[in-house]
Amino acid sequence: MRIDNLKDWPYRSLLTAAMVTLAVLGAPVLARGVPAPSARVRDLAIGTCGACHGVDGNTTNPMFPRLAGQHAGYLAQQLREFKDHKRSDPDALAYMYGMASPLSNATIEALAQYFARQTAGPGKRHATTEVAVGNRIYHQGIAAQGVPACSACHGPGGLGNKQFPRLAGQHAEYIVMQLRYYRHKLRQGAVMQSVAAMLHRSQRRAVADYLASLR
């Protein structure tokens, strides 16, 4: 089944340019293996990560996740998994492996802290009917399908914690894409693979629309 033809992704050239920026800007800091000065981390976050995720982590491009206000522990863990090739979803394989591979542990932690400190922007308004359905699924689950309440892990307001990501205000398109990856076992996580498989397409979209509408 075709998920995404990443080879033809219109942002491939942008990501390639970002990787060059990382090599030029980030390498001297990363090579020392010590915490990068805050100004240099800010330059790395804005000049490289910001090319896709927005300089303050509030990208308006729904192909990329919003990082502003995300938990530092979760961000650091994902960067380490990209660096160690422990995530196997298409975006990880095509882009994030290369972006994360030069990063030292100290720089990973510093970048995670940078984006965690940014203020998350407002959510995006979606159709009222879809949001209402998604709200019900998120908070109550779907007993007839064996779907647990999403809020049990991600919190009543979608704010998550160190282990589970903040989903409030995330792009609906990005959430749908990640659920599709879980459903087809292109992203690891037994619980999320099971949940995504039990949700119908319209239900996945409804939950995504609800979460995108939050702040």
Side-chain angles (χ1 to χ4, degrees):
M1 177 176 291
R2 180 179 182 273
I3 302 301
D4 278 303
N5 188 352
L6 295 175
K7 291 182 178 179
D8 295 331
W9 205 15
Y11 305 101
R12 185 178 181 85
S13 59
L14 177 61
L15 284 165
T16 301
M19 290 181 71
V20 173
T21 304
L22 176 61
V24 173
L25 175 61
V29 176
L30 305 177
R32 289 197 291 269
V34 297
S38 59
R40 296 303 297 273
V41 170
R42 189 163 54 251
D43 287 344
L44 181 59
I46 293 172
T48 301
C49 308
C52 295
H53 297 286
V55 296
D56 63 348
N58 283 299
T59 177
T60 59
N61 191 318
M63 293 299 296
F64 307 118
R66 299 176 75 178
L67 304 182
Q70 187 59 268
H71 298 280
Y74 178 78
L75 288 174
Q77 179 62 29
Q78 297 311 300
L79 283 171
R80 285 192 292 268
E81 290 191 5
F82 288 133
K83 177 183 174 73
D84 297 336
H85 297 183
K86 291 182 178 179
R87 273 188 57 170
S88 58
D89 47 289
D91 296 336
L93 291 167
Y95 304 111
M96 287 307 300
Y97 279 11
M99 298 298 287
S101 62
L103 300 176
S104 69
N105 288 332
T107 303
I108 284 175
E109 294 294 338
L111 284 171
Q113 289 292 337
Y114 170 85
F115 283 109
R117 287 194 296 267
Q118 305 307 307
T119 301
K124 181 179 179 181
R125 187 180 301 275
H126 286 269
T128 303
T129 301
E130 291 298 302
V131 169
V133 172
N135 186 351
R136 184 167 61 252
I137 295 172
Y138 183 85
H139 291 284
Q140 301 176 19
I142 310 174
Q145 294 173 215
V147 177
C150 311
S151 59
C153 292
H154 295 281
L159 299 181
N161 52 48
K162 182 178 180 179
Q163 182 178 2
F164 301 107
R166 173 194 175 110
L167 300 178
Q170 188 59 267
H171 295 300
E173 295 84 351
Y174 180 78
I175 293 175
V176 168
M177 181 169 64
Q178 296 309 302
L179 287 173
R180 191 161 65 246
Y181 288 164
Y182 279 122
R183 179 180 177 85
H184 294 286
K185 298 184 178 181
L186 296 176
R187 183 170 174 180
Q188 298 93 328
V191 173
M192 283 306 304
Q193 287 177 354
S194 176
V195 170
M198 290 186 290
L199 287 169
H200 302 317
R201 178 183 299 179
S202 62
Q203 294 167 340
R204 296 196 298 272
R205 181 71 205 198
V207 170
D209 285 353
Y210 166 68
L211 288 167
S213 72
L214 301 177
R215 176 168 185 164

